[in-house]
Amino acid sequence: MERRVKVAAPLKRAFELRRTSDPKEKPGIPWREQARLMSRVLPLMWPEGEYAIKLRVFGSAVLVLATKLISVAMPILYKEVVDALSTGANAAVAVPLVVVLGYGIARLSSSAASELRDLFFAKVEQRALRLVSVEVLKHVHSLPLRFHLERQTGGLSRSIERGTDAIEFLLSYLLFSILPMFLEMALVGGVVWHYFNFGFAAATVGIIVTYIAYTASATQWRLKFRREMNAQDREANARAVDSLLNYETVKYFVNESHELDRFDEAKRDYMKAAIDNQRALSSFNVGQSLILSAGVVIVMLLAAYGVVDKRLTIGEFVMVNAYLLQLYQPLNMLGWVYRNLRQSMTDVEQMYKLFEEQSGIIDPPGAPALITGPGHIRFDRVNFSYDKRRPILKDVSFEIPAGHRVAIVGPTGGGKTTIARLLFRFYDPEEGSISIDGKDIRSVTQESVRRAIGVVPQDTVLFNDSIYYNIAYGRLDATPEEVMTAARRAQLGDFIAKLPDGYLTRVGERGLKLSGGEKQRVAIARVILKNPEILVFDEATSSLDSRTEQDIQASLRQVAAHHTTLVIAHRLSTIIDADEIIVLDDGRITERGSHASLIDRGGTYAEMWNRQLHAEEELKDVAE
């Protein structure tokens, strides 16, 4: 039997620290917060200027009212039938045919009105869900890179999914269950008082008030169990998604058992939370049944004594019983709806917390678009850190004249990629400024800055779609001929021609079906297609073999001939023809100049160059 690998204690402790460091959910949602959430949900049913939608909502409300009026009238019709049948031997002949037919028509009308109501409201509901989903995704896309680097994708998608489902529940049940439920209770109470006496009405109202009070307090008590269950569910889902996204890494280190242990541990915690939640739910349901059963017994005893004393007819006894059963169902539904309403509030709260996440990169009011120019870039005394305790860039200043090619090299962790991220406005500098063609990029719109820059990253991630789609993503309105031309310039033409499905070949999740070099060539092709004024190559050929790298470098030089280009390089042989080479070490510029001048200086760059030459010579010796 295969032995499962257990999580090492220090690693397990790290997981526990990560989990306990997550922000804790509040123990309960205050009424004020619930009102604030509802103020965001309810307007979805009554959008400004959407008269067709408002008409549908109004029509649905009318149908709900009609349904409840019919429901309240049916026991009265039932009473008339029973009284007529109990008058004597020939009672069947005396039963008014119109009453029987009316009873049947009432039942059919109630059912038809309910179905028509759902049909009317479907467009209102689905439209609201579409708008909310789009708004959430839009906001998440607007959040800074820091948020996405720190957030677990599985947990994020789970929160959004639960939130949209909860809004669907709130929209549907607020209009069709909660408000109609209280309307029906009021109508039944009025009818009972009218036909019987205050004692019957008081007993009926007492059942309702007691049940509602118990449901509200008990639901508040058991909400903590639901919260814990949701938290454990998110954790388990996040771990599963994380392991699948890192499928290759899991295989490289033969850690399938470790990932299963992590997932199993999370599911065990979820199982415990789910059992606790079910235990609380069962206790809650027993309490509700006790209240309803006691109420039914009390009212039925009153009705029975009324029949014995000749104050009530058999039909009225049946009518009271029918109303109690009619109340039993919505009251029982009230508990379920109230529980789900509170749970939905929790899920909506979690989703709307995403809107509280503020984008660190905000355009100033009325910011103009960056006017496309030659592409002169300037960093002026830039300081930046991801964490205040660890500065990344320190007083960095340099310029890239329009049409020039500047390379940045240096040890890993020195801040090279951070410069590219700042230029692309994933972050803003803490001090200093970055300008393009004399315009501080913080004074213009982010969209215009990003349209002016094309990036080929070191780690290329592709959409789970076709090669054609991933290349065309560089410019969505490009023609097929332009897409194919970009692919050929990125040395992809021959590779695609050999594929059975050609450009329609799907690349898999994150481009898993392609090699690292193939993914990078796709990234280069879509930047070629975008044709921006400024190009940024972040280790753009690091995954390519020497022959392909030479071909790609020739294409990149051709593409960059009339563009301002920033190259972040590890292989120094790829940037020897750069107009200027900047050496970045520990966040500071330590050297700058041409390849030849830096070699003559004999500093950090010369040391890096000699080290790489020595490594390449050793590889040649091994190959021979």
Side-chain angles (χ1 to χ4, degrees):
M1 184 175 180
E2 184 181 358
R3 182 176 65 86
R4 296 184 70 189
V5 180
K6 297 300 179 184
V7 182
L11 195 58
K12 185 175 182 179
R13 177 60 181 157
F15 294 143
E16 291 173 351
L17 285 174
R18 185 194 69 180
R19 186 166 55 187
T20 55
S21 65
D22 290 341
K24 295 291 185 183
E25 293 186 68
K26 295 180 288 186
I29 307 176
W31 288 104
R32 181 176 297 179
E33 179 65 16
Q34 292 184 45
R36 189 179 72 85
L37 288 173
M38 293 309 301
S39 70
R40 303 183 72 167
V41 173
L42 289 177
L44 296 172
M45 292 196 300
W46 202 255
E48 189 68 30
E50 296 281 347
Y51 298 108
I53 296 296
K54 291 180 179 180
L55 184 60
R56 285 178 175 270
V57 174
F58 179 75
S60 300
V62 170
L63 289 169
V64 167
L65 177 60
T67 302
K68 291 307 173 186
L69 289 175
I70 293 171
S71 296
V72 172
M74 285 173 65
I76 299 175
L77 294 173
Y78 196 34
K79 165 193 171 297
E80 295 297 331
V81 172
V82 172
D83 281 341
L85 288 170
S86 62
T87 58
N90 296 322
V93 180
V95 175
L97 182 60
V98 67
V99 175
V100 177
L101 291 176
Y103 182 77
I105 292 172
R107 292 188 66 88
L108 178 62
S109 300
S110 178
S111 176
S114 296
E115 295 301 324
L116 190 59
R117 173 203 70 193
D118 291 341
L119 182 61
F120 265 45
F121 197 70
K123 185 173 183 178
V124 179
E125 185 177 63
Q126 294 305 317
R127 173 189 174 278
L129 292 177
R130 175 179 62 83
L131 293 178
V132 168
S133 300
V134 170
E135 191 65 25
V136 171
L137 187 60
K138 176 184 177 182
H139 182 73
V140 171
H141 272 298
S142 74
L143 294 177
L145 181 62
R146 181 182 285 111
F147 171 86
H148 292 277
L149 293 177
E150 294 174 353
R151 189 81 174 192
Q152 287 182 304
T153 304
L156 176 62
S157 63
R158 197 69 165 176
S159 293
I160 296 174
E161 179 185 353
R162 285 185 178 276
T164 51
D165 288 345
I167 287 179
E168 182 177 11
F169 176 86
L170 290 174
L171 290 178
S172 178
Y173 280 88
L174 274 176
L175 184 61
F176 299 150
S177 293
I178 299 177
L179 295 178
M181 192 182 305
F182 285 106
L183 173 62
E184 184 173 6
M185 290 175 186
L187 291 173
V188 169
V191 171
V192 170
W193 194 346
H194 173 74
Y195 272 89
F196 304 100
N197 57 45
F198 178 75
F200 280 89
T204 303
V205 172
I207 296 172
I208 296 172
V209 172
T210 303
Y211 187 92
I212 291 175
Y214 171 80
T215 299
S217 60
T219 300
Q220 183 65 32
W221 161 71
R222 63 171 294 268
L223 188 61
K224 60 184 178 183
F225 298 103
R226 172 70 180 192
R227 285 178 176 274
E228 178 63 20
M229 189 176 72
N230 280 355
Q232 298 300 340
D233 184 37
R234 285 195 301 271
E235 178 68 18
N237 188 67
R239 288 187 180 186
V241 171
D242 202 28
S243 68
L244 292 175
L245 290 177
N246 291 278
Y247 171 84
E248 289 182 273
T249 304
V250 172
K251 292 295 182 183
Y252 291 152
F253 295 96
V254 200
N255 277 337
E256 293 91 341
S257 294
H258 163 70
E259 291 299 330
L260 287 176
D261 280 334
R262 288 184 64 207
F263 182 67
D264 184 55
E265 180 185 13
K267 292 301 287 185
R268 285 176 183 271
D269 291 340
Y270 171 76
M271 182 180 71
K272 181 180 181 301
I275 292 172
D276 290 341
N277 180 67
Q278 183 59 49
R279 186 181 296 115
L281 176 60
S282 297
S283 302
F284 178 61
N285 288 339
V286 169
Q288 287 182 320
S289 296
L290 180 62
I291 293 172
L292 288 174
S293 298
V296 168
V297 169
I298 292 171
V299 175
M300 291 305 295
L301 283 174
L302 289 174
Y305 280 120
V307 173
V308 171
D309 293 342
K310 307 297 184 180
R311 290 182 290 106
L312 298 179
T313 65
I314 298 296
E316 289 172 330
F317 177 85
V318 171
M319 183 174 74
V320 169
N321 185 57
Y323 274 128
L324 286 175
L325 294 177
Q326 195 161 306
L327 274 181
Y328 190 104
Q329 183 177 359
L331 278 176
N332 192 47
M333 176 73 76
L334 175 63
W336 180 83
V337 169
Y338 186 75
R339 290 194 303 271
N340 282 276
L341 180 65
R342 297 286 294 180
Q343 292 161 10
S344 295
M345 285 288 188
T346 302
D347 295 335
V348 172
E349 179 196 30
Q350 289 298 312
M351 187 182 71
Y352 275 127
K353 275 184 178 179
L354 293 173
F355 287 101
E356 296 175 7
E357 296 283 349
Q358 296 297 320
S359 174
I361 313 300
I362 301 175
D363 294 335
L370 176 69
I371 299 175
T372 304
H376 183 279
I377 299 172
R378 185 182 182 211
F379 278 64
D380 186 16
R381 305 181 69 86
V382 170
N383 290 274
F384 178 76
S385 63
Y386 298 104
D387 187 323
K388 297 291 184 183
R389 298 168 294 182
R390 181 173 173 261
I392 300 297
L393 297 181
K394 308 165 188 176
D395 199 32
V396 171
S397 297
F398 65 89
E399 293 189 38
I400 308 179
H404 283 227
R405 186 167 181 255
V406 170
I408 299 179
V409 301
T412 300
K416 304 185 298 295
T417 297
T418 299
I419 285 180
R421 289 176 172 177
L422 289 172
L423 179 62
F424 204 70
R425 279 206 78 190
F426 277 144
Y427 303 94
D428 279 335
E430 294 166 358
E431 296 180 22
S433 64
I434 303 171
S435 61
I436 296 178
D437 294 326
K439 283 284 187 180
D440 190 322
I441 60 176
R442 289 173 296 192
S443 67
V444 295
T445 61
Q446 300 170 60
E447 180 182 352
S448 62
V449 171
R450 291 167 184 166
R451 287 192 182 281
I453 302 172
V455 179
V456 180
Q458 179 179 5
D459 181 21
T460 299
V461 178
L462 303 181
F463 293 96
N464 188 9
D465 209 303
S466 65
I467 291 177
Y468 182 92
Y469 176 83
N470 277 280
I471 297 175
Y473 202 79
R475 184 157 53 86
L476 297 177
D477 60 350
T479 64
E481 291 75 17
E482 291 172 323
V483 172
M484 293 175 187
T485 299
R488 287 193 294 270
R489 293 181 65 185
Q491 307 296 321
L492 270 174
D494 293 341
F495 163 72
I496 295 174
K498 295 176 183 178
L499 297 173
D501 295 324
Y503 281 90
L504 298 182
T505 302
R506 298 187 71 88
V507 302
E509 184 97 22
R510 299 170 65 86
L512 193 63
K513 293 182 179 180
L514 302 184
S515 69
E518 290 160 356
K519 286 196 294 185
Q520 232 159 358
R521 281 183 283 177
V522 171
I524 292 169
R526 66 186 175 195
V527 166
I528 291 173
L529 187 65
K530 183 179 180 181
N531 192 30
E533 289 73 30
I534 298 170
L535 298 174
V536 176
F537 301 132
D538 187 357
E539 308 279 8
T541 58
S542 61
S543 298
L544 306 179
D545 58 81
S546 299
R547 179 177 178 180
T548 304
E549 180 184 26
Q550 292 176 1
D551 294 338
I552 292 293
Q553 285 294 333
S555 296
L556 292 179
R557 291 189 185 95
Q558 180 183 358
V559 171
H562 302 291
H563 295 77
T564 304
T565 308
L566 173 64
V567 181
I568 297 168
H570 173 70
R571 295 181 187 176
L572 303 186
S573 58
T574 64
I575 47 94
I576 58 178
D577 60 343
D579 296 299
E580 184 180 36
I581 298 172
I582 296 173
V583 180
L584 199 64
D585 191 3
D586 193 27
R588 297 184 183 277
I589 295 178
T590 57
E591 297 177 11
R592 63 198 310 163
S594 65
H595 172 76
S597 65
L598 291 175
I599 293 295
D600 292 341
R601 183 177 297 179
T604 303
Y605 180 84
E607 182 182 344
M608 293 170 61
W609 175 259
N610 292 328
R611 191 184 306 123
Q612 287 195 14
L613 284 180
H614 181 66
E616 290 175 1
E617 289 174 358
E618 287 185 344
L619 288 175
K620 288 181 181 179
D621 292 340
V622 170
E624 293 174 356

